Short mmCIF file of all heavy atoms in Angstrom, two decimals:
data_model
loop_
_atom_site.label_atom_id
_atom_site.label_comp_id
_atom_site.label_asym_id
_atom_site.label_seq_id
_atom_site.Cartn_x
_atom_site.Cartn_y
_atom_site.Cartn_z
N PRO A 159 -36.39 81.11 22.39
CA PRO A 159 -37.48 80.88 23.45
C PRO A 159 -37.12 81.59 24.81
O PRO A 159 -37.95 81.87 25.59
CB PRO A 159 -37.44 79.43 23.71
CG PRO A 159 -36.18 78.83 23.20
CD PRO A 159 -35.75 79.78 22.08
N SER A 160 -35.79 81.94 25.07
CA SER A 160 -35.54 82.52 26.33
C SER A 160 -35.84 83.96 26.31
O SER A 160 -35.76 84.59 27.52
CB SER A 160 -33.97 82.30 26.63
OG SER A 160 -33.20 82.93 25.64
N THR A 161 -36.23 84.61 25.27
CA THR A 161 -36.49 86.08 25.18
C THR A 161 -37.93 86.40 24.85
O THR A 161 -38.30 87.47 24.37
CB THR A 161 -35.55 86.77 24.20
OG1 THR A 161 -35.76 86.21 22.92
CG2 THR A 161 -34.17 86.54 24.66
N VAL A 162 -38.82 85.46 24.95
CA VAL A 162 -40.25 85.64 24.44
C VAL A 162 -41.19 86.19 25.55
O VAL A 162 -41.26 85.58 26.62
CB VAL A 162 -40.73 84.26 23.98
CG1 VAL A 162 -42.25 84.37 23.61
CG2 VAL A 162 -39.95 83.76 22.70
N GLY A 163 -41.83 87.26 25.24
CA GLY A 163 -42.95 87.88 26.00
C GLY A 163 -44.19 87.64 25.19
O GLY A 163 -44.40 86.58 24.56
N ALA A 164 -45.11 88.65 25.03
CA ALA A 164 -46.20 88.53 24.20
C ALA A 164 -45.65 88.71 22.73
O ALA A 164 -44.78 89.48 22.51
CB ALA A 164 -47.23 89.66 24.52
N PHE A 165 -46.20 87.96 21.86
CA PHE A 165 -45.79 87.94 20.43
C PHE A 165 -46.77 87.35 19.59
O PHE A 165 -47.71 86.68 19.96
CB PHE A 165 -44.40 87.24 20.33
CG PHE A 165 -44.48 85.77 20.53
CD1 PHE A 165 -44.52 84.88 19.51
CD2 PHE A 165 -44.53 85.26 21.89
CE1 PHE A 165 -44.57 83.56 19.72
CE2 PHE A 165 -44.57 83.87 22.06
CZ PHE A 165 -44.54 83.09 20.97
N ASN A 166 -46.59 87.54 18.16
CA ASN A 166 -47.44 86.96 17.18
C ASN A 166 -46.67 85.95 16.34
O ASN A 166 -45.53 86.39 16.00
CB ASN A 166 -48.01 88.00 16.26
CG ASN A 166 -49.08 88.91 16.95
OD1 ASN A 166 -49.59 88.52 18.06
ND2 ASN A 166 -49.33 90.08 16.44
N VAL A 167 -47.14 84.83 15.93
CA VAL A 167 -46.71 83.90 14.90
C VAL A 167 -47.49 84.19 13.77
O VAL A 167 -48.72 83.87 13.75
CB VAL A 167 -46.71 82.50 15.44
CG1 VAL A 167 -46.14 81.58 14.30
CG2 VAL A 167 -45.85 82.29 16.65
N THR A 168 -46.87 84.57 12.72
CA THR A 168 -47.65 85.03 11.43
C THR A 168 -47.33 84.09 10.35
O THR A 168 -46.46 83.28 10.33
CB THR A 168 -47.21 86.42 11.06
OG1 THR A 168 -45.92 86.58 10.77
CG2 THR A 168 -47.67 87.47 12.13
N ASN A 169 -48.17 84.26 9.33
CA ASN A 169 -48.03 83.48 7.98
C ASN A 169 -48.12 81.98 8.11
O ASN A 169 -47.40 81.31 7.47
CB ASN A 169 -46.73 83.90 7.24
CG ASN A 169 -46.69 85.36 6.92
OD1 ASN A 169 -47.73 86.00 6.48
ND2 ASN A 169 -45.41 85.90 7.15
N LEU A 170 -48.94 81.58 9.00
CA LEU A 170 -49.17 80.16 9.30
C LEU A 170 -50.38 79.68 8.39
O LEU A 170 -51.39 80.41 8.33
CB LEU A 170 -49.58 79.76 10.64
CG LEU A 170 -48.54 80.17 11.69
CD1 LEU A 170 -49.11 79.90 13.09
CD2 LEU A 170 -47.32 79.33 11.52
N PRO A 171 -50.27 78.56 7.67
CA PRO A 171 -51.34 78.10 6.69
C PRO A 171 -52.42 77.36 7.52
O PRO A 171 -52.79 76.22 7.33
CB PRO A 171 -50.55 77.09 5.82
CG PRO A 171 -49.51 76.44 6.61
CD PRO A 171 -49.02 77.75 7.60
N LEU A 172 -52.98 78.09 8.38
CA LEU A 172 -53.99 77.60 9.40
C LEU A 172 -55.19 76.91 8.76
O LEU A 172 -55.88 76.01 9.22
CB LEU A 172 -54.32 78.47 10.53
CG LEU A 172 -53.21 78.98 11.40
CD1 LEU A 172 -53.72 80.09 12.33
CD2 LEU A 172 -52.66 77.75 12.17
N SER A 173 -55.68 77.51 7.59
CA SER A 173 -56.82 77.08 6.89
C SER A 173 -56.73 75.64 6.39
O SER A 173 -57.67 75.02 6.13
CB SER A 173 -57.22 78.03 5.84
OG SER A 173 -56.26 78.00 4.83
N ALA A 174 -55.45 75.14 6.28
CA ALA A 174 -55.17 73.82 5.77
C ALA A 174 -55.38 72.71 6.92
O ALA A 174 -55.16 71.55 6.65
CB ALA A 174 -53.81 73.64 5.18
N TYR A 175 -55.63 73.16 8.15
CA TYR A 175 -55.60 72.24 9.29
C TYR A 175 -56.87 72.46 10.12
O TYR A 175 -57.42 73.49 10.12
CB TYR A 175 -54.39 72.47 10.19
CG TYR A 175 -53.09 72.22 9.35
CD1 TYR A 175 -52.49 73.28 8.72
CD2 TYR A 175 -52.63 70.91 9.14
CE1 TYR A 175 -51.35 72.98 8.03
CE2 TYR A 175 -51.50 70.67 8.37
CZ TYR A 175 -50.81 71.76 7.86
OH TYR A 175 -49.61 71.48 7.09
N SER A 176 -57.15 71.35 10.88
CA SER A 176 -58.29 71.51 11.83
C SER A 176 -57.91 71.79 13.25
O SER A 176 -58.64 72.37 14.02
CB SER A 176 -59.05 70.17 11.81
OG SER A 176 -59.53 69.78 10.58
N PHE A 177 -56.62 71.34 13.57
CA PHE A 177 -56.02 71.44 14.95
C PHE A 177 -54.69 71.96 14.91
O PHE A 177 -53.97 71.85 13.81
CB PHE A 177 -56.09 70.15 15.64
CG PHE A 177 -57.50 69.58 15.78
CD1 PHE A 177 -57.94 68.63 14.80
CD2 PHE A 177 -58.31 69.82 16.83
CE1 PHE A 177 -59.23 68.10 14.88
CE2 PHE A 177 -59.58 69.16 16.99
CZ PHE A 177 -60.03 68.26 16.01
N VAL A 178 -54.19 72.57 15.99
CA VAL A 178 -52.85 72.83 16.12
C VAL A 178 -52.30 72.15 17.43
O VAL A 178 -53.19 71.96 18.39
CB VAL A 178 -52.33 74.20 16.16
CG1 VAL A 178 -52.59 74.92 14.92
CG2 VAL A 178 -53.03 74.97 17.34
N ALA A 179 -51.14 71.56 17.45
CA ALA A 179 -50.51 71.07 18.67
C ALA A 179 -49.38 72.02 18.97
O ALA A 179 -48.64 72.46 18.11
CB ALA A 179 -49.92 69.72 18.46
N ILE A 180 -49.39 72.58 20.27
CA ILE A 180 -48.39 73.48 20.61
C ILE A 180 -47.52 72.84 21.74
O ILE A 180 -47.98 72.34 22.75
CB ILE A 180 -49.03 74.76 21.09
CG1 ILE A 180 -49.86 75.43 20.10
CG2 ILE A 180 -47.92 75.72 21.64
CD1 ILE A 180 -50.61 76.62 20.51
N VAL A 181 -46.21 72.79 21.43
CA VAL A 181 -45.29 72.26 22.37
C VAL A 181 -44.69 73.51 23.12
O VAL A 181 -44.35 74.51 22.46
CB VAL A 181 -44.00 71.49 21.66
CG1 VAL A 181 -43.05 71.03 22.64
CG2 VAL A 181 -44.64 70.33 20.82
N PHE A 182 -44.59 73.34 24.44
CA PHE A 182 -44.21 74.64 25.24
C PHE A 182 -43.45 74.16 26.44
O PHE A 182 -43.61 72.97 26.97
CB PHE A 182 -45.42 75.54 25.53
CG PHE A 182 -46.38 74.89 26.46
CD1 PHE A 182 -46.46 75.17 27.88
CD2 PHE A 182 -47.41 73.95 25.93
CE1 PHE A 182 -47.42 74.52 28.63
CE2 PHE A 182 -48.35 73.48 26.72
CZ PHE A 182 -48.35 73.70 28.08
N ILE A 183 -42.66 75.11 26.93
CA ILE A 183 -41.90 74.88 28.26
C ILE A 183 -42.69 75.65 29.27
O ILE A 183 -43.00 76.78 29.08
CB ILE A 183 -40.47 75.46 28.09
CG1 ILE A 183 -39.69 74.54 27.08
CG2 ILE A 183 -39.78 75.50 29.46
CD1 ILE A 183 -38.33 75.10 26.83
N SER A 184 -42.86 74.99 30.38
CA SER A 184 -43.76 75.58 31.50
C SER A 184 -43.12 76.76 32.06
O SER A 184 -43.68 77.77 32.35
CB SER A 184 -44.19 74.49 32.58
OG SER A 184 -42.95 74.13 33.16
N ASN A 185 -41.75 76.74 32.32
CA ASN A 185 -41.08 77.76 33.05
C ASN A 185 -39.71 77.90 32.61
O ASN A 185 -38.89 77.04 33.04
CB ASN A 185 -41.20 77.63 34.52
CG ASN A 185 -40.70 78.81 35.23
OD1 ASN A 185 -40.11 79.68 34.77
ND2 ASN A 185 -40.95 78.83 36.61
N MET A 186 -39.31 78.91 31.83
CA MET A 186 -37.92 79.03 31.40
C MET A 186 -36.89 79.51 32.52
O MET A 186 -35.78 79.39 32.34
CB MET A 186 -37.90 80.13 30.29
CG MET A 186 -38.48 79.70 29.02
SD MET A 186 -37.63 78.28 28.05
CE MET A 186 -36.07 79.10 27.85
N ASP A 187 -37.46 79.84 33.64
CA ASP A 187 -36.56 80.32 34.77
C ASP A 187 -36.06 79.15 35.63
O ASP A 187 -35.17 79.39 36.39
CB ASP A 187 -37.49 81.25 35.71
CG ASP A 187 -37.60 82.61 35.17
OD1 ASP A 187 -36.71 82.99 34.31
OD2 ASP A 187 -38.47 83.38 35.57
N THR A 188 -36.62 78.06 35.54
CA THR A 188 -36.16 76.93 36.23
C THR A 188 -35.17 76.06 35.54
O THR A 188 -35.15 76.05 34.30
CB THR A 188 -37.33 76.02 36.66
OG1 THR A 188 -37.88 75.35 35.52
CG2 THR A 188 -38.42 76.80 37.38
N GLY A 189 -34.39 75.32 36.26
CA GLY A 189 -33.41 74.34 35.73
C GLY A 189 -34.03 73.21 35.12
O GLY A 189 -33.55 72.52 34.21
N ASN A 190 -35.26 72.82 35.57
CA ASN A 190 -35.98 71.65 35.02
C ASN A 190 -37.09 72.15 34.06
O ASN A 190 -38.25 72.34 34.43
CB ASN A 190 -36.70 70.96 36.27
CG ASN A 190 -37.33 69.68 35.75
OD1 ASN A 190 -37.06 69.15 34.70
ND2 ASN A 190 -38.12 69.03 36.74
N GLN A 191 -36.67 72.41 32.79
CA GLN A 191 -37.65 72.95 31.82
C GLN A 191 -38.29 71.79 31.09
O GLN A 191 -37.94 71.41 30.03
CB GLN A 191 -36.77 73.73 30.87
CG GLN A 191 -36.17 74.97 31.52
CD GLN A 191 -35.24 75.77 30.65
OE1 GLN A 191 -34.87 75.34 29.55
NE2 GLN A 191 -34.75 76.96 31.14
N ASN A 192 -39.43 71.37 31.68
CA ASN A 192 -40.22 70.34 31.18
C ASN A 192 -41.01 70.79 29.93
O ASN A 192 -41.46 71.92 29.88
CB ASN A 192 -41.29 69.83 32.27
CG ASN A 192 -40.58 69.09 33.33
OD1 ASN A 192 -39.56 68.43 33.11
ND2 ASN A 192 -41.13 69.25 34.51
#
């Protein structure tokens, strides 16, 4: 996660799901990475 810019996540079985939940860090530059 510390080296991510624009990127693709491939080979996901998305057709089997109605929704996705994405967990993310708001700002990798800060010490408080919520």
